[in-house]
Amino acid sequence: MAEVVTLKTGAVLTREGDPAPHVFSISSGSLRVYKLLPDGRRQITGFLFAGDFLGLAIGDDYVFSAEAMEPSTVCRFRKGPFRALVEQSPPLEHMLLHRTMHELAAAQNQMLLLGRKTAIERMASFLLDLPGHDPARPSAPGHVRLPMKRAEIADYLGLTIETVSRVLTRMKLQGLISTPSPSDLVVERPDRLRQYALGEV
Amino acid sequence: MAEVVTLKTGAVLTREGDPAPHVFSISSGSLRVYKLLPDGRRQITGFLFAGDFLGLAIGDDYVFSAEAMEPSTVCRFRKGPFRALVEQSPPLEHMLLHRTMHELAAAQNQMLLLGRKTAIERMASFLLDLPGHDPARPSAPGHVRLPMKRAEIADYLGLTIETVSRVLTRMKLQGLISTPSPSDLVVERPDRLRQYALGEV
DNA sequence: ACGGTCATTTGATCCAGATCAATAAACAGA
DNA sequence: TCTGTTTATTGATCTGGATCAAATGACCGT
């Protein structure tokens, strides 16, 4: 019933508007999920990692596109059998509801960010929300990986690449962060960053 | 188990950050749901009408505030018993999952709007999404009620009141809409409005 | 190591929408 | 009907972030 699919970097898993026969669960790697306007403007609605589900939306067509950001593997289920499975398993359905509610809450935070926060507030929120702040690994405090490019950060935060870059530079000058490499970042002052994220500056 | 609560216009049903003992379902009227930044900036994440659920989020505290936009009535359930009821009723849980997925899809559309659309594109999208375009009532084609004030439209679309007003004026001058009264609007050219909503202008 | 491509940073200028500031309508209560 | 108050419109100006344009830096395959 489930097939394993291997994705190269940049591979397209779903395309907005295409018929949607499948539902997916991410096994490894990371995906970007986005929506496009006809003229090419893109809004990334989320990044998915191992354990996340994709394609649960209703309707016959996908309402978003999804691409691998790095080599990834996903489990693919045909929608019909998957639905049948869910029908028979209340715990599974419960888990899906729980996850979907979490995603909805995250989406509402993102609306606040997109509708009302300034560029630096958006970036601060983003950096604090990134995985990798586990107090479980105090060995590398504040270290986070940025598996995405500047263009993806920009399209997630409703900004341009240039603004993303300028904000990061400003943050570096203020000593809030440091960037050992463009895809590696250290949060030096999580406290100050948190203030920015809430617009308290 | 369920209590009926009557709300006057402007009455606060939930406040972000408060303990969340209840879950609600709207019986009549309409509510605005929003999030605030400490300095008062507001993002309205949605408008709720009869039949909608509220407060399903997980966690012990509300993560949004909700207020009545007009005299309204809601059913209030204690969270514990409500959860127990859901546990015992797979069809109920299924319905909640279905609704939550719909809400999530709507939230993703709103992210595209807030992150990437211009003022006129936002307004066009908003007007087309409003209830009242039922082909069921062809008696008043294009007529929609705006139960919300300009300030609420602005905070929903990530704009200011002034911009909302100016965009509506522009739309009137172009013959796209007409406004018999500030809270009553007629979509004269749904086709052209739809083009704007998709950024095809 | 070396060249080519792609990604990022930095600089100069522009503009959509915000802000500041009056009016002008709408509406609710006496 | 009038009167005070709230809401909406319109106008003038400002500005954060976009756009246009180089210059620098990373990274990959050979």
Side-chain angles (χ1 to χ4, degrees):
Chain A
M1 160 172 187
E3 305 163 76
V4 175
V5 179
T6 306
L7 300 170
K8 299 197 182 110
T9 300
V12 175
L13 187 62
T14 72
R15 198 182 295 278
E16 187 175 359
D18 282 359
H22 296 115
V23 167
F24 308 90
S25 109
I26 319 301
S27 305
S28 74
S30 56
L31 306 187
R32 53 176 173 261
V33 180
Y34 59 90
K35 295 173 80 87
L36 292 175
L37 289 172
D39 66 359
R41 278 173 284 171
R42 178 175 72 163
Q43 179 64 40
I44 294 184
T45 56
F47 298 110
L48 299 183
F49 301 92
D52 290 329
F53 275 86
L54 176 70
L56 291 169
I58 38 282
D60 294 336
D61 298 332
Y62 293 120
V63 294
F64 45 73
S65 304
E67 295 172 3
M69 295 198 294
E70 55 186 320
S72 307
T73 56
V74 305
C75 275
R76 186 169 74 180
F77 307 86
R78 294 217 129 256
K79 216 192 226 172
F82 184 79
R83 266 210 237 279
L85 180 67
V86 173
E87 295 274 335
Q88 290 172 252
S89 168
L92 177 56
E93 180 139 62
H94 190 76
M95 186 267 268
L96 290 177
L97 176 57
H98 194 262
R99 277 161 180 272
T100 307
M101 290 192 310
H102 261 291
E103 265 197 81
L104 182 58
Q108 286 163 349
N109 280 325
Q110 195 70 355
M111 286 191 236
L112 175 61
L113 181 150
L114 292 170
R116 290 302 183 211
K117 290 188 186 178
T118 66
I120 197 168
E121 290 164 5
R122 293 178 197 206
M123 186 61 65
S125 306
F126 173 66
L127 295 178
L128 291 170
D129 282 349
L130 279 173
H133 292 287
D134 314 294
R137 270 188 68 252
S139 51
H143 276 72
V144 292
R145 280 234 33 185
L146 295 179
M148 61 291 284
K149 302 183 189 311
R150 297 292 182 266
E152 290 165 340
I153 299 176
D155 283 351
Y156 181 59
L157 299 179
L159 301 171
T160 58
I161 341 179
E162 293 94 328
T163 299
V164 166
S165 179
R166 278 187 248 269
V167 168
L168 287 173
T169 315
R170 263 207 281 160
M171 286 180 165
K172 273 186 269 188
L173 292 176
Q174 292 184 241
L176 304 177
I177 61 169
S178 56
T179 54
S181 92
S183 65
D184 248 299
L185 185 142
V186 183
V187 176
E188 305 285 359
R189 302 290 307 274
D191 51 331
R192 303 273 322 281
L193 222 51
R194 214 163 288 121
Q195 288 187 305
Y196 273 114
L198 295 175
E200 291 176 344
V201 184
Chain B
M1 160 173 187
E3 304 163 75
V4 174
V5 178
T6 306
L7 300 171
K8 299 196 182 110
T9 299
V12 176
L13 187 62
T14 71
R15 197 182 295 278
E16 186 176 358
D18 282 357
H22 296 114
V23 167
F24 308 90
S25 112
I26 319 300
S27 305
S28 74
S30 55
L31 307 187
R32 52 177 172 260
V33 180
Y34 59 90
K35 294 173 78 87
L36 292 175
L37 289 172
D39 67 359
R41 277 174 284 170
R42 178 176 71 164
Q43 179 65 39
I44 293 184
T45 56
F47 298 110
L48 299 183
F49 301 91
D52 290 329
F53 275 87
L54 175 71
L56 291 168
I58 40 281
D60 294 335
D61 299 333
Y62 294 120
V63 293
F64 45 72
S65 304
E67 295 172 3
M69 295 199 294
E70 54 187 321
S72 308
T73 55
V74 305
C75 275
R76 186 169 75 180
F77 306 86
R78 294 219 128 255
K79 214 191 227 173
F82 185 79
R83 265 209 237 279
L85 180 67
V86 173
E87 294 275 333
Q88 286 172 255
S89 168
L92 177 56
E93 180 139 61
H94 190 75
M95 185 266 267
L96 290 177
L97 176 57
H98 195 263
R99 276 161 180 271
T100 307
M101 290 192 310
H102 262 291
E103 264 197 81
L104 183 58
Q108 286 163 349
N109 280 325
Q110 195 70 355
M111 286 190 236
L112 175 62
L113 180 150
L114 292 170
R116 291 302 182 212
K117 290 187 186 178
T118 65
I120 197 168
E121 290 164 3
R122 293 178 197 206
M123 186 62 65
S125 306
F126 173 67
L127 295 178
L128 292 170
D129 282 348
L130 279 173
H133 293 286
D134 313 294
R137 270 189 68 252
S139 51
H143 276 72
V144 292
R145 279 233 19 162
L146 295 179
M148 60 291 284
K149 304 183 189 310
R150 297 292 181 266
E152 289 165 342
I153 299 177
D155 283 351
Y156 181 60
L157 299 179
L159 300 171
T160 58
I161 345 178
E162 292 94 330
T163 298
V164 166
S165 180
R166 278 187 249 269
V167 168
L168 287 173
T169 311
R170 263 207 282 160
M171 286 180 164
K172 273 186 270 188
L173 293 176
Q174 292 184 241
L176 304 177
I177 61 168
S178 56
T179 54
S181 92
S183 63
D184 248 298
L185 184 142
V186 183
V187 176
E188 307 283 359
R189 301 291 307 275
D191 50 332
R192 302 272 322 282
L193 221 50
R194 214 163 286 121
Q195 289 187 303
Y196 272 114
L198 295 175
E200 290 174 346
V201 184

